[in-house]
Amino acid sequence: MWRVGMSEEIGKALQSAMDRVNQAVARRSKALPALPPRLVAVSKTKPPEMVIEAYKQGQRNFGENYVNELVDKASNTEILESCPEIEWHFIGNLQKNNVNKLLGVPHLFMVETVDSAKLADKVNSSWQRLRAASSQRLRIMLQINTSGEQSKHGLPPEETVNAVKHIVSQCTALHFSGLMTIGRSGFDLSQAQNPDFQMLLSQRKKVCDNLNLPMEDVELSMGMSNDFEHAIEVGATNVRVGSLIFGNRDYPNSAANTPSPSPEKRSKVLTEEAAKKMEHLTVSEH
């Protein structure tokens, strides 16, 4: 719930997150495309007041995991009036029966979780019908299941190139923006580079080689609150950060509703409790 002092906390947490983004950019190889990473603030379960406050602090890109929650927030009168330049990202599992509802969202900037050619076809035809008066194509990313976990959504890596070919050639209402992955939670970066990130990097290279696309035209959405700095260091152009900015999520009938540390403090170190929780979450957690 919104409380006195939260405005300052969100501002400090956002600044801390951006500082860490910029520091990670400074550490990455000069051989990587010089694309400034986009910070997507994941506002799942958070009230409109927190979205508005983050917007006032300069944040423009926000992510939601559930279609109904995104529809409610994006249509909220206060958000519409206070956040005219907001850009919404859908980052959760998308079912075909929810496509029309999602595509009606005001200020929808990108759908990051298209995970099949069939879903791309559905999104394409729906966008053509719903936005017939507009020539603007919808930005989408292709979600890849880089870890091979059954609990994760996404296309098998070996199907990436053909799926991108289909989107580029057949889905004329869509703009292929890049590749996205959730990846396995809790990987120990002290042991090696994250294999999920490396897999997404290799798939981008294959896509660019096969379709003759410039590397800088294919974004990589990877990295969340616990590993976004490493993701940026190896080439992420889009990172999805939630709890570091907004604090623990408020789930009904959950211990998460008890008082928690400020977002500023949480942005410094991911707590053991949050790390354990991430190990059990699927695509819906960022």
Side-chain angles (χ1 to χ4, degrees):
M1 298 294 294
W2 184 259
R3 56 182 170 77
V4 176
M6 193 167 285
S7 174
E8 182 179 358
E9 290 177 3
I10 290 177
K12 289 181 178 179
L14 265 174
Q15 186 58 56
S16 175
M18 284 307 306
D19 288 345
R20 291 169 64 177
V21 166
N22 293 331
Q23 290 163 10
V25 169
R27 293 193 296 268
R28 71 183 179 186
S29 169
K30 302 302 181 184
L32 292 170
L35 294 173
R38 181 189 301 110
L39 175 65
V40 178
V42 182
S43 48
K44 181 176 67 171
T45 79
K46 298 304 179 181
E49 292 88 350
M50 295 184 77
V51 172
I52 293 170
E53 186 55 44
Y55 184 93
K56 288 180 179 178
Q57 299 290 339
Q59 181 65 24
R60 292 294 180 268
N61 290 273
F62 293 82
E64 289 288 340
N65 295 72
Y66 302 113
V67 172
N68 288 339
E69 187 174 0
L70 175 53
V71 169
D72 289 345
K73 283 183 184 169
S75 304
N76 178 275
T77 302
E78 292 183 0
I79 288 181
L80 286 171
E81 292 177 352
S82 303
C83 312
E85 297 178 355
I86 197 169
E87 296 181 336
W88 289 108
H89 295 238
F90 184 70
I91 58 175
N93 178 41
L94 178 59
Q95 298 179 340
K96 289 182 182 179
N97 62 336
N98 281 327
V99 167
N100 289 342
K101 184 185 294 186
L102 172 64
L103 299 192
V105 165
H107 302 292
L108 180 63
F109 180 76
M110 184 183 292
V111 179
E112 296 194 20
T113 48
V114 173
D115 60 3
S116 70
K118 289 184 177 180
L119 181 57
D121 287 338
K122 172 64 176 175
V123 174
N124 181 67
S125 61
S126 294
W127 186 255
Q128 288 177 321
R129 184 175 65 257
L130 294 171
R131 306 294 177 103
S134 174
S135 60
Q136 182 178 359
R137 292 187 295 165
L138 175 65
R139 300 174 184 85
I140 63 103
M141 286 190 176
L142 187 65
Q143 182 179 358
I144 310 301
N145 186 349
T146 54
S147 65
E149 296 171 275
Q150 292 186 350
S151 61
K152 298 289 197 302
H153 295 279
L155 202 65
E158 61 271 17
E159 298 180 22
T160 303
V161 172
N162 286 338
V164 174
K165 284 181 178 178
H166 176 86
I167 293 169
V168 171
S169 63
Q170 302 299 319
C171 301
T172 56
L174 306 182
H175 173 74
F176 171 68
S177 296
L179 305 176
M180 178 266 207
T181 189
I182 302 298
R184 190 182 300 273
S185 299
F187 182 78
D188 186 356
L189 295 175
S190 67
Q191 301 300 313
Q193 291 187 329
N194 188 307
D196 292 303
F197 298 167
Q198 294 303 310
M199 173 63 75
L200 206 65
L201 285 162
S202 69
Q203 291 305 311
R204 178 174 68 174
K205 185 177 188 308
K206 290 179 181 179
V207 166
C208 291
D209 289 347
N210 278 271
L211 279 73
N212 195 30
L213 296 175
M215 199 82 75
E216 57 268 21
D217 286 355
V218 182
E219 291 197 47
L220 296 179
S221 177
M222 57 189 192
M224 297 182 284
S225 290
N226 63 328
D227 55 11
F228 72 96
E229 291 162 294
H230 174 63
I232 291 171
E233 289 172 11
V234 299
T237 63
N238 190 87
V239 292
R240 311 175 302 271
V241 178
S243 57
L244 292 182
I245 296 171
F246 296 113
N248 285 340
R249 296 192 174 93
D250 302 317
Y251 295 100
N253 302 320
S254 168
N257 290 323
T258 58
S260 59
S262 70
E264 180 190 8
K265 293 180 180 178
R266 191 174 295 100
S267 67
K268 296 179 180 179
V269 180
L270 184 70
T271 64
E272 291 183 2
E273 179 183 356
K276 291 178 181 178
K277 183 185 295 183
M278 283 184 178
E279 293 177 0
H280 299 288
L281 295 178
T282 59
V283 64
S284 65
E285 182 70 22
H286 294 271

